Amino acid sequence: MSEMKENKMGTMSVGKLLISMSLPMMISMIVQAMYNIVDSIFVSRIHEDALTAVSMAFPLQSLCIALGAGMGVGVNALLSRSLGAKDQKMVNKSAMNGIFLTLVNYILFLLIGLTLVKPFYMIQTDSQDIINYGTQYLSVVCCFSFGMFFQFIFERLLQSTGRTFQTMITQTTGAIINIILDPIFIFGLFGVKAYGVRGAAIATVIGQIVAAIFALIMNLKVNKEIQFSLKEFKPDLHIIGLIYKVGFPSIIMQSIGSLMVFCLNKILIVFTSTAVAVFGVYFKLQSFVFMPVFGLNNGIIPIIAYNYGAEKKKRMLDTVKCALLVAFSIMTVGSIVFISIPDKLLSMFDASENMLTMGMVALRTIAIHFPVAAICIVLGSTFQALGNAIYSMFVSIARQIVVLIPVAYFLSQLGNVNYVWWCFPIAEVMSLSITLIFFFRMKKMVIDPIPN
């Protein structure tokens, strides 16, 4: 076997590398956030109940994303470490087993889309309009989720070898297609039938399918560091175990996010369905702040993992420091915007007077925790890159299940929905404390022993 060449993740200056790896991902994530917001803006023009229904879909959508993205994190970290260690056989096996697991994930969500969507809404609300809107939307999203799942895995394979520019192209293409098709399928433009809420879902899955096809083509054309071979492939339980060692905690973390949103929706709807709509709008808006940081993380995970495999300690730590600075800056700007002009943000969603009044308090209160969250997110990704994703999982469970939901419930008993929003800053302070403890422990045990 010929010797593998040194990847740019082991040679390029850290600052330049972080920009080249993360900036395309950050741009594509901003575009993703934009089409998520545009989706809800169009849906809000149908009816506030339609917006509430799409907001209530988030827990199941998030679970779908958790399986795809979490498994992708595992493949990303394992493949990047294998590149750093110059193990071509492990690189190829990581990629092919990741594709196999993607197919399994889709089959699971196809079954969910066919059987569980309506019951999912019925346990959240007794409003028939919300149930009908939600069933129309979520059934399409789940049954045609193969586009999203394969987009995830093919983009993670590109990221693993440092080709984040190609990932930006695929994500941006899918998002732009979604944005263009949204009004066409929702309102029935250019002779197309008006599908209403279902049209938003149709536009979404078409964008995901096109992005998945583009990502596959990019891998076959330019990703020469991975050798794809269906002929020689068979599922490898050892490789699958290694993938999920890193990926499973990430899946649990995002799944816990689904449970958190589900529980919070149940708490908020006791006040009014408008409170659920406000929470849904907040989640769409905050993606504009959080998505660039997640894009940054998608860039730093393979950098840290590669240099861990290559035993380059200084490059690992420099990457973490640079990422913390960038993430903190982004989140601080986001916090200032949310606090300064919440009325302008909410007005994009055709907010009623009641929704506007409630939403302004919500956005200003929740946004306080953004800069703190930046630190937790970057260090959590460091845990994943170094194969200690269990730390991230523990922090996520503590934040969202042990603290956030109980605090939200306690505050709701005070009889004012405005108190409930404080559960986010309270939970984030706890999250930061635990994250720092874990980071310094991991630095001492995993990073410091590396000789150079």
Side-chain angles (χ1 to χ4, degrees), residues 57-93:
F58 180 82
L60 200 52
Q61 280 185 286
S62 182
L63 181 61
C64 186
I65 293 170
L67 287 176
M71 186 271 296
V73 166
V75 173
N76 194 337
L78 178 60
L79 200 152
S80 295
R81 284 205 303 271
S82 301
L83 280 173
K86 307 212 171 20
D87 187 343
Q88 183 66 59
K89 187 175 180 181
M90 183 64 80
V91 168
N92 299 338
K93 284 187 174 183

Side-chain angles (χ1 to χ4, degrees), residues 110-130:
L110 173 61
L111 295 175
I112 290 174
L114 293 173
T115 60
L116 297 180
V117 169
K118 190 169 183 178
F120 170 75
Y121 274 97
M122 292 175 68
I123 61 176
Q124 294 188 81
T125 179
D126 56 4
S127 168
Q128 197 58 49
D129 287 340
I130 293 176

Side-chain angles (χ1 to χ4, degrees), residues 37-109:
I37 289 174
V38 170
D39 231 21
S40 292
I41 289 174
F42 285 128
V43 167
S44 70
R45 265 56 179 180
I46 299 173
H47 195 277
E48 188 175 295
D49 282 347
L51 180 60
T52 301
V54 172
S55 299
M56 285 183 165
F58 180 82
L60 200 52
Q61 280 185 286
S62 182
L63 181 61
C64 186
I65 293 170
L67 287 176
M71 186 271 296
V73 166
V75 173
N76 194 337
L78 178 60
L79 200 152
S80 295
R81 284 205 303 271
S82 301
L83 280 173
K86 307 212 171 20
D87 187 343
Q88 183 66 59
K89 187 175 180 181
M90 183 64 80
V91 168
N92 299 338
K93 284 187 174 183
S94 300
M96 294 307 299
N97 278 275
I99 294 171
F100 168 73
L101 293 173
T102 297
L103 179 60
V104 173
N105 286 338
Y106 167 63
I107 292 172
L108 172 63
F109 263 83

Side-chain angles (χ1 to χ4, degrees), residues 109-408:
F109 263 83
L110 173 61
L111 295 175
I112 290 174
L114 293 173
T115 60
L116 297 180
V117 169
K118 190 169 183 178
F120 170 75
Y121 274 97
M122 292 175 68
I123 61 176
Q124 294 188 81
T125 179
D126 56 4
S127 168
Q128 197 58 49
D129 287 340
I130 293 176
I131 292 171
N132 289 339
Y133 281 132
T135 303
Q136 292 172 30
Y137 178 81
L138 199 51
S139 294
V140 174
V141 169
C142 290
C143 289
F144 293 90
S145 58
F146 64 87
M148 185 211 71
F149 280 119
F150 282 100
Q151 180 185 353
F152 266 125
I153 184 61
F154 291 135
E155 287 176 350
R156 289 299 186 273
L157 295 180
L158 289 168
Q159 292 168 24
S160 299
T161 57
R163 291 176 171 85
T164 52
F165 178 76
Q166 284 79 5
T167 304
M168 181 187 71
I169 293 174
T170 61
Q171 288 191 343
T172 302
T173 301
I176 291 174
I177 289 173
N178 189 348
I179 291 171
I180 293 172
L181 294 183
D182 256 336
I184 294 175
F185 283 104
I186 292 173
F187 304 117
L189 305 179
F190 308 114
V192 176
K193 178 182 175 181
Y195 287 98
V197 174
R198 184 181 282 115
I202 292 172
T204 296
V205 298
I206 290 175
Q208 291 168 344
I209 291 168
V210 172
I213 293 171
F214 269 49
L216 171 60
I217 293 171
M218 293 287 186
N219 272 284
L220 295 177
K221 292 291 186 181
V222 304
N223 211 355
K224 302 303 182 183
E225 287 165 295
I226 302 175
Q227 298 164 4
F228 299 94
S229 176
L230 284 174
K231 183 178 179 181
E232 300 177 3
F233 171 72
K234 62 178 181 179
D236 188 318
L237 292 179
H238 175 65
I239 301 296
I240 291 173
L242 292 175
I243 290 172
Y244 278 117
K245 180 182 178 183
V246 174
F248 185 72
S250 182
I251 292 171
I252 293 298
M253 284 187 291
Q254 293 197 53
S255 300
I256 288 168
S258 301
L259 179 61
M260 180 273 289
V261 172
F262 178 82
C263 292
L264 206 50
N265 282 341
K266 294 281 284 183
I267 291 170
L268 292 171
I269 205 165
V270 172
F271 292 96
T272 170
S273 63
T274 300
V276 177
V278 166
F279 183 45
V281 166
Y282 157 71
F283 248 89
K284 297 292 184 179
L285 290 171
Q286 62 94 32
S287 67
F288 233 116
V289 183
F290 280 76
M291 281 294 201
V293 178
F294 292 146
L296 175 70
N297 284 351
N298 287 337
I300 68 172
I301 286 176
I303 297 174
I304 295 172
Y306 182 97
N307 286 285
Y308 178 48
E311 296 190 338
K312 296 182 178 181
K313 177 170 64 178
K314 186 177 186 301
R315 290 180 63 82
M316 292 164 58
L317 292 175
D318 287 348
T319 301
V320 173
K321 292 174 184 176
C322 287
L324 282 171
L325 178 61
V326 174
F328 188 83
S329 300
I330 292 171
M331 289 293 212
T332 300
V333 171
S335 184
I336 292 170
V337 170
F338 269 57
I339 292 170
S340 302
I341 55 168
D343 52 333
K344 302 293 190 301
L345 299 175
L346 290 161
S347 65
M348 295 189 299
F349 299 87
D350 203 25
S352 63
E353 191 63 36
N354 185 31
M355 184 176 173
L356 193 61
T357 302
M358 185 185 301
M360 288 175 64
V361 176
L363 264 57
R364 283 174 170 154
T365 303
I366 299 174
I368 294 172
H369 86 277
F370 287 179
V372 179
I375 301 171
C376 298
I377 292 170
V378 171
L379 295 185
S381 293
T382 304
F383 301 156
Q384 294 171 5
L386 298 179
N388 286 277
I390 193 72
Y391 287 170
S392 298
M393 183 181 73
F394 184 87
V395 172
S396 185
I397 292 173
R399 175 184 178 272
Q400 298 183 84
I401 303 302
V402 178
V403 178
L404 194 147
I405 292 301
V407 169

Side-chain angles (χ1 to χ4, degrees), residues 7-27:
N7 188 277
K8 68 177 182 179
M9 291 184 285
T11 57
M12 188 181 291
S13 66
V14 170
K16 185 178 178 181
L17 178 62
L18 190 62
I19 293 173
S20 70
M21 290 284 288
S22 298
L23 187 58
M25 293 305 305
M26 293 168 73
I27 293 172

